Amino acid sequence: MTLLDVRNLGISFGGLRAVDNFEIQIKKGQLYGLIGPNGAGKTTVFNLLTGVYKPSDGKITLDGKNITGAATIDINKAGIARTFQNIRLFKDLSVLDNVKVGLHNQYSYSTITGILRLPKYFKVEKEMNEKAMELLKVFDLDKEADFLASNLPYGKQRKLEIARALATNPKLLLLDEPAAGMNPNETSELMDTIRFVRDNFDMTILLIEHDMKLVSGICEELTVLNFGQVLAKGKTAEVLNDPQVIKAYLGE
Amino acid sequence: MKTKMNLTKSTKSTLITVGIVVVAYIVMQILGGAGMLSSLMKGLLVPLCIYAIMAVSLNLTVGILGELSLGHAGFMCVGAFVSAFFSLYFKETMAAGPRFIIAIILGGVVAALSGLLIGIPVLRLRGDYLAIVTLAFGEIIKNIINVMYVGRDEQGIHFSMKDAYSMNLSSEGQILINGAQGITGTPNDSNFTVAAILLVLTLIIVLNLVNSRPGRAIMAIRDNRIAAESVGINITKFKLLAFSISAGLAGIAGVLYAHNLSILQAQPKNFGYNMSIMILVYVVLGGMGNIRGSLIASVILVLLPELMRQLNDYRMLIYSIVLIVMMIFNWSPKAKEFREKYSIKRLLGKKTEKGEA
């Protein structure tokens, strides 16, 4: 069953056609990779999918629902969560609170309840704490729950971003260069984590990555983007052996 | 276990902050009862609370929400005039107690609404627009009040923007707001006890807000707007929430201010730009986002110039030196190192947070 269906997506910034006629179909439970040279428009595609940019043309359908041109928060509520290429954590909040912000729309009480500390406040906060700790445990961050997010080492900050994205209870998780700046050990650990998330959270994952070891290791299908256009797509092994892809991106 | 610890940690911090106010209140009452307070000091007690409320409420906008407001005195002005008008209008017809309670609520609500009104267009924008607009708001409000004439006689309420004669009041009529001369004869309902209670309420409201779901959303917006949006937080809603609460609390400070004086005028010195900047100085020196810091900084910086009155011309010089020293002590890396090394927590044998990380 197709979870994300993108047809004929395009955006122009002035005279620059950043993304043109972009198509992608991702099935439920798939681990899908989006690769391409720097400046090919990969992050722009993520920004289009999450409503940061409004597409000039095309149609985005998530789980049968048309989300083309919707606001970022509505797209998140519809079920797309993301991480960022340059980490964007809430740096002055604790690790636990970062995840609890992610849980924002899963739990609710009114502002008045919070200010007056009515019983519902304590009940809901307790549930949020438990849920957040559960998520942190998955990413082996539970011991650092009280740390400020900015005090975490780099690799753990990346993990925290994924945990925060998962806290919003998405159907589709977008990871923007999750392995950037990681050493080989951290990368292989990250690969395990991504697989674990897919299997245990029943998640569909679309990721942008330059690390070919990670891409060939975990992605089932790939789309290659070059100059804003789809250069090739299909099964990972086939795409990586495509002469056009080798010429444009991998190098001969 | 860990989750429980977290709840009590924030509650504990709130209790300490509120405790400081309660202890200070009791000490002042004992000193006052024993006749050990000078009349200058007695006169300062209510203003101290007013400035502390202003600083704490401004910190909600500047430190917690991360938006710069340069017209906080404008909201104080709104609260002051609305409540003073109300109290004067019902001076003869209502008992002091309920009248003052309604005045406080009214002043707070109207100030919060004016904050909301300004916020709706401005807080949708990114950047420093709030600073520009609030700066203008503070000046505009002051000038509007200075040309407003309201009076009443047996025919009802009269209003003019020209002068007192244009209202055509009958000989029995009473002028309520007299343009630049402001409001005269507001009942003196403010006292130290009410002011201290309102300060405690302000602290509880702000601290409880910060440590709750909406508070986390507000701080998330401050730390990273794009990420906050990506996890489904309604940016405009929570910005408006924080800003109107902040404005409402400033309005309550205004109510206290108005009912502490018999003549209320909107002048540059009490509701002008300088006042807004002064409150901002308290917030910055106390630490942005640090509510307890705002409380302490405002008390020190209000007391200091008053206590140095006998030094005449030198007091502003010393005041500015204290500002600089406080700034260095709070923010310079070396001073931070020194404080960590000799912090009370550490001397008591507890690890500081930095030490653990």
Coordinates of all heavy atoms in Angstrom, one line a residue, chain B residues 54-100:
Chain B
M54 N 6.7 43.8 37.3 CA 7.0 44.3 35.9 C 8.2 43.5 35.4 O 8.1 43.0 34.2 CB 7.4 45.8 35.9 CG 6.3 46.7 36.1 SD 5.1 46.6 34.7 CE 6.0 47.5 33.5
A55 N 9.2 43.3 36.2 CA 10.4 42.6 35.7 C 10.1 41.1 35.4 O 10.5 40.6 34.4 CB 11.5 42.7 36.7
V56 N 9.3 40.5 36.3 CA 9.0 39.1 36.1 C 8.1 38.9 34.9 O 8.4 38.0 34.1 CB 8.3 38.5 37.4 CG1 7.7 37.2 37.1 CG2 9.3 38.4 38.5
S57 N 7.2 39.8 34.7 CA 6.3 39.7 33.5 C 7.0 40.0 32.2 O 6.8 39.3 31.2 CB 5.1 40.6 33.7 OG 5.4 41.9 33.6
L58 N 7.9 40.9 32.3 CA 8.7 41.2 31.1 C 9.6 40.1 30.7 O 9.8 39.7 29.5 CB 9.5 42.5 31.2 CG 10.3 42.9 29.9 CD1 9.4 43.2 28.8 CD2 11.1 44.2 30.2
N59 N 10.1 39.4 31.8 CA 11.0 38.3 31.5 C 10.3 37.1 30.8 O 10.9 36.4 30.0 CB 11.5 37.7 32.8 CG 12.8 37.0 32.7 OD1 13.2 36.6 31.6 ND2 13.5 36.7 33.8
L60 N 8.9 37.1 31.0 CA 8.2 36.1 30.3 C 8.2 36.3 28.7 O 8.4 35.4 28.0 CB 6.7 36.1 30.7 CG 5.7 35.2 30.1 CD1 6.2 33.7 30.3 CD2 4.3 35.3 30.7
T61 N 8.2 37.6 28.4 CA 8.3 38.0 26.9 C 9.7 37.8 26.4 O 10.0 37.2 25.4 CB 7.8 39.4 26.7 OG1 6.4 39.5 27.1 CG2 7.9 39.8 25.2
V62 N 10.7 38.4 27.2 CA 12.0 38.6 26.7 C 12.8 37.3 26.9 O 13.5 36.8 26.0 CB 12.7 39.7 27.4 CG1 14.2 39.8 27.0 CG2 12.0 41.0 27.1
G63 N 12.7 36.7 28.1 CA 13.6 35.5 28.4 C 12.9 34.2 28.0 O 13.6 33.3 27.5
I64 N 11.6 34.1 28.2 CA 11.0 32.8 28.0 C 10.5 32.7 26.5 O 10.7 31.7 25.9 CB 9.8 32.6 28.9 CG1 10.2 32.8 30.4 CG2 9.2 31.2 28.8 CD1 11.1 31.8 31.0
L65 N 9.9 33.7 26.0 CA 9.4 33.7 24.7 C 10.5 34.1 23.7 O 10.5 33.7 22.5 CB 8.2 34.6 24.5 CG 7.6 34.8 23.1 CD1 7.0 33.5 22.6 CD2 6.5 35.9 23.2
G66 N 11.5 34.9 24.2 CA 12.6 35.3 23.3 C 12.2 36.4 22.3 O 12.8 36.5 21.2
E67 N 11.2 37.3 22.6 CA 10.9 38.4 21.8 C 11.2 39.7 22.6 O 11.0 39.7 23.8 CB 9.4 38.4 21.4 CG 9.0 37.3 20.5 CD 9.2 37.6 19.1 OE1 9.4 38.7 18.7 OE2 9.1 36.6 18.3
L68 N 11.7 40.7 21.9 CA 12.0 41.9 22.6 C 10.8 42.8 22.7 O 10.2 43.1 21.6 CB 13.2 42.6 21.9 CG 13.8 43.8 22.6 CD1 14.3 43.4 24.0 CD2 15.0 44.3 21.8
S69 N 10.5 43.3 23.9 CA 9.4 44.3 24.0 C 10.0 45.5 24.6 O 10.6 45.5 25.7 CB 8.3 43.7 24.9 OG 7.5 44.7 25.3
L70 N 9.8 46.6 24.0 CA 10.4 47.9 24.5 C 9.3 48.8 25.0 O 9.5 50.0 25.2 CB 11.2 48.6 23.4 CG 12.4 47.9 22.9 CD1 13.1 48.7 21.8 CD2 13.4 47.7 24.1
G71 N 8.1 48.3 25.1 CA 7.0 49.2 25.6 C 6.2 48.6 26.7 O 5.0 48.7 26.8
H72 N 6.9 47.9 27.6 CA 6.2 47.2 28.7 C 5.5 48.2 29.6 O 4.4 47.9 30.1 CB 7.2 46.4 29.5 CG 6.6 45.1 30.0 ND1 5.9 44.2 29.2 CD2 6.5 44.6 31.3 CE1 5.5 43.2 29.9 NE2 5.8 43.4 31.2
A73 N 6.1 49.4 29.8 CA 5.4 50.4 30.6 C 4.1 50.8 30.0 O 3.2 51.3 30.7 CB 6.4 51.6 30.7
G74 N 3.9 50.7 28.7 CA 2.7 51.0 28.0 C 1.5 50.1 28.6 O 0.4 50.6 28.8
F75 N 1.8 48.9 28.8 CA 0.8 48.0 29.3 C 0.5 48.3 30.8 O -0.7 48.2 31.2 CB 1.2 46.5 29.2 CG 1.4 46.1 27.7 CD1 2.6 45.8 27.3 CD2 0.3 46.1 26.9 CE1 2.8 45.5 25.9 CE2 0.5 45.7 25.6 CZ 1.7 45.4 25.1
M76 N 1.5 48.7 31.5 CA 1.3 49.1 32.9 C 0.4 50.4 32.9 O -0.5 50.5 33.7 CB 2.7 49.5 33.4 CG 2.7 49.8 34.9 SD 4.4 50.2 35.4 CE 4.1 50.8 37.0
C77 N 0.7 51.3 31.9 CA -0.1 52.5 31.8 C -1.6 52.1 31.5 O -2.5 52.7 32.2 CB 0.5 53.3 30.6 SG -0.3 54.9 30.4
V78 N -1.8 51.2 30.6 CA -3.2 50.8 30.3 C -3.9 50.3 31.6 O -5.0 50.7 32.0 CB -3.2 49.7 29.2 CG1 -4.6 49.1 29.1 CG2 -2.8 50.3 27.9
G79 N -3.2 49.4 32.3 CA -3.8 48.8 33.5 C -4.0 49.9 34.6 O -5.1 49.9 35.2
A80 N -3.1 50.8 34.7 CA -3.2 51.9 35.7 C -4.4 52.7 35.4 O -5.3 53.0 36.3 CB -2.0 52.7 35.7
F81 N -4.6 53.2 34.2 CA -5.7 54.1 33.9 C -7.0 53.5 33.9 O -8.0 54.1 34.4 CB -5.4 54.9 32.6 CG -4.5 56.1 32.8 CD1 -3.1 56.0 32.8 CD2 -5.1 57.3 33.1 CE1 -2.4 57.1 33.0 CE2 -4.3 58.4 33.4 CZ -2.9 58.3 33.3
V82 N -7.1 52.3 33.3 CA -8.4 51.6 33.3 C -8.9 51.4 34.7 O -10.0 51.7 35.1 CB -8.3 50.3 32.5 CG1 -9.5 49.4 32.8 CG2 -8.1 50.5 31.1
S83 N -8.0 50.9 35.6 CA -8.4 50.6 36.9 C -8.7 51.8 37.8 O -9.6 51.9 38.6 CB -7.3 49.7 37.6 OG -6.2 50.5 37.8
A84 N -7.8 52.9 37.5 CA -8.0 54.1 38.3 C -9.4 54.7 37.9 O -10.1 55.2 38.8 CB -6.9 55.1 38.0
F85 N -9.7 54.7 36.6 CA -11.0 55.2 36.2 C -12.1 54.5 36.8 O -13.1 55.0 37.3 CB -11.1 55.1 34.6 CG -12.3 55.6 34.1 CD1 -12.6 56.9 33.9 CD2 -13.3 54.7 33.7 CE1 -13.7 57.4 33.4 CE2 -14.5 55.1 33.2 CZ -14.7 56.5 33.0
F86 N -12.0 53.1 36.8 CA -13.0 52.3 37.4 C -13.2 52.6 38.9 O -14.3 52.8 39.4 CB -12.7 50.8 37.2 CG -13.5 49.9 38.0 CD1 -14.8 49.5 37.5 CD2 -13.1 49.4 39.2 CE1 -15.6 48.6 38.2 CE2 -13.9 48.5 40.0 CZ -15.1 48.1 39.4
S87 N -12.1 52.7 39.6 CA -12.2 52.9 41.1 C -12.7 54.3 41.4 O -13.5 54.4 42.4 CB -10.8 52.7 41.7 OG -10.3 51.4 41.6
L88 N -12.4 55.3 40.6 CA -12.9 56.6 40.9 C -14.4 56.7 40.6 O -15.1 57.3 41.3 CB -12.1 57.6 40.0 CG -12.3 59.1 40.2 CD1 -11.9 59.4 41.7 CD2 -11.6 59.9 39.3
Y89 N -14.8 56.0 39.5 CA -16.2 56.0 39.1 C -17.0 55.4 40.2 O -18.1 55.8 40.5 CB -16.3 55.2 37.8 CG -17.6 55.4 37.1 CD1 -17.8 56.5 36.2 CD2 -18.7 54.6 37.3 CE1 -18.9 56.7 35.5 CE2 -19.9 54.9 36.7 CZ -20.0 55.9 35.8 OH -21.2 56.1 35.1
F90 N -16.6 54.3 40.8 CA -17.4 53.6 41.8 C -16.9 53.9 43.2 O -17.1 53.2 44.1 CB -17.3 52.1 41.5 CG -18.1 51.7 40.3 CD1 -17.4 51.4 39.1 CD2 -19.4 51.6 40.3 CE1 -18.1 51.0 38.0 CE2 -20.1 51.3 39.2 CZ -19.4 51.0 38.0
K91 N -16.1 55.0 43.4 CA -15.6 55.3 44.7 C -16.6 55.4 45.8 O -16.4 54.9 46.9 CB -14.8 56.7 44.6 CG -13.9 57.0 45.7 CD -13.1 58.2 45.4 CE -12.1 58.5 46.6 NZ -11.3 59.7 46.3
E92 N -17.8 56.0 45.5 CA -18.8 56.2 46.5 C -19.7 55.0 46.6 O -20.3 54.8 47.6 CB -19.6 57.5 46.2 CG -18.8 58.7 45.8 CD -17.8 59.2 46.9 OE1 -18.1 58.9 48.0 OE2 -16.8 59.8 46.5
T93 N -19.9 54.3 45.5 CA -21.0 53.3 45.4 C -20.5 51.9 45.7 O -21.4 51.0 45.8 CB -21.6 53.3 44.0 OG1 -20.5 53.3 43.1 CG2 -22.4 54.6 43.8
M94 N -19.2 51.7 45.9 CA -18.8 50.3 46.2 C -17.9 50.2 47.4 O -17.2 51.2 47.6 CB -18.1 49.7 44.9 CG -18.9 49.0 44.0 SD -18.0 48.4 42.6 CE -17.7 46.7 43.0
A95 N -17.9 49.1 48.1 CA -17.0 48.9 49.2 C -15.6 48.7 48.7 O -15.4 48.3 47.5 CB -17.4 47.7 50.0
A96 N -14.6 49.2 49.4 CA -13.2 49.2 49.0 C -12.7 47.8 48.6 O -12.1 47.7 47.5 CB -12.3 49.8 50.1
G97 N -13.0 46.8 49.3 CA -12.5 45.4 49.1 C -12.9 44.9 47.7 O -12.0 44.8 46.8
P98 N -14.2 44.7 47.4 CA -14.5 44.1 46.1 C -14.2 45.1 45.0 O -13.8 44.6 43.9 CB -16.1 44.0 46.2 CG -16.5 44.6 47.5 CD -15.3 44.8 48.4
R99 N -14.2 46.4 45.3 CA -13.9 47.4 44.2 C -12.5 47.2 43.7 O -12.2 47.2 42.5 CB -14.1 48.8 44.7 CG -14.0 49.9 43.7 CD -14.1 51.2 44.3 NE -13.0 51.5 45.2 CZ -13.0 52.2 46.3 NH1 -14.2 52.8 46.6 NH2 -12.0 52.3 47.1
F100 N -11.6 47.0 44.7 CA -10.2 46.9 44.3 C -9.9 45.5 43.6 O -9.2 45.5 42.7 CB -9.3 47.0 45.6 CG -7.8 47.1 45.3 CD1 -7.4 47.9 44.2 CD2 -6.9 46.5 46.1 CE1 -6.1 48.1 44.0 CE2 -5.5 46.6 45.8 CZ -5.1 47.4 44.7

